[in-house]
Amino acid sequence: MSETIGFLLNDSARLFRRAFNARTKGSGITALQWRLITYLKRHEGIRQGPMAELIEVEPITLSRMVDRLVEAELVERRADPADRRAWQLYLTARAGELLSGMRSTADALTAEATEGLSAAECDQLIDLVERVRANLSRRICQKENETA
């Protein structure tokens, strides 16, 4: 049976999340929370609404995730000076420590996932998957513009 690229990418991502969650169980951080923290590192000060769109979860789901990360003292909400109703998200110093520690876990998992691939093959895989992602992202944006 020949699998489609969509099935293979989705199933690989599922297995990656499951393996990541198993390795980080003691930290209390899930793969989705790790993803949120990683995106937040790149976009500190982002409002909750745009962050929900960025990681593709419902705003209420993001709010609950942020609540848990605030309780864990990994994220803090700050009032947006431009809009009293909005909150901006920032990482705490504790999150920075956690990121560096978990980075090695993520790197080890990536090494396991790409075992048997040469450095050139890994580079090619990254390039190909990035192109697939760009194609899909571009099509989503075009469709949104057409319906607006």
Side-chain angles (χ1 to χ4, degrees):
M1 180 168 134
S2 177
E3 304 294 353
T4 66
I5 188 72
F7 177 85
L8 289 171
L9 287 172
N10 191 45
D11 203 41
S12 296
R14 178 189 61 80
L15 291 169
F16 209 103
R17 278 189 308 277
R18 187 175 74 183
F20 183 88
N21 286 339
R23 290 178 176 162
T24 60
K25 188 176 268 188
S27 73
I29 300 297
T30 66
L32 188 54
Q33 290 169 327
W34 167 255
R35 187 168 169 233
L36 186 150
I37 290 169
T38 302
Y39 270 91
L40 190 51
K41 182 177 176 159
R42 296 176 193 159
H43 303 281
E44 268 202 293
I46 191 171
R47 290 182 183 179
Q48 286 188 197
M51 177 59 87
E53 290 175 22
L54 193 61
I55 67 169
E56 297 181 350
V57 297
E58 293 297 318
I60 190 69
T61 302
L62 178 80
S63 184
R64 289 182 188 134
M65 288 173 59
V66 171
D67 287 344
R68 284 191 287 279
L69 294 173
V70 166
E71 283 179 29
E73 299 178 351
L74 297 171
V75 171
E76 64 180 39
R77 288 181 174 106
R78 297 182 196 162
D80 184 340
D83 184 349
R84 293 185 335 193
R85 301 165 297 164
W87 294 100
Q88 293 176 306
L89 302 175
Y90 292 88
L91 294 176
T92 64
R94 187 165 186 258
E97 296 166 11
L98 181 73
L99 276 169
S100 60
M102 291 184 74
R103 177 84 265 151
S104 62
T105 300
D107 290 345
L109 181 55
T110 300
E112 183 181 317
T114 57
E115 186 178 332
L117 299 180
S118 69
E121 288 172 323
C122 286
D123 290 343
Q124 183 180 23
L125 177 61
I126 289 168
D127 180 58
L128 293 171
V129 173
E130 283 178 343
R131 284 168 40 197
V132 168
R133 180 177 65 180
N135 288 343
L136 293 171
S137 177
R138 198 169 35 250
R139 288 191 180 112
I140 289 166
C141 291
Q142 286 173 348
K143 187 170 186 164
E144 288 173 356
N145 288 339
E146 289 170 4
T147 59

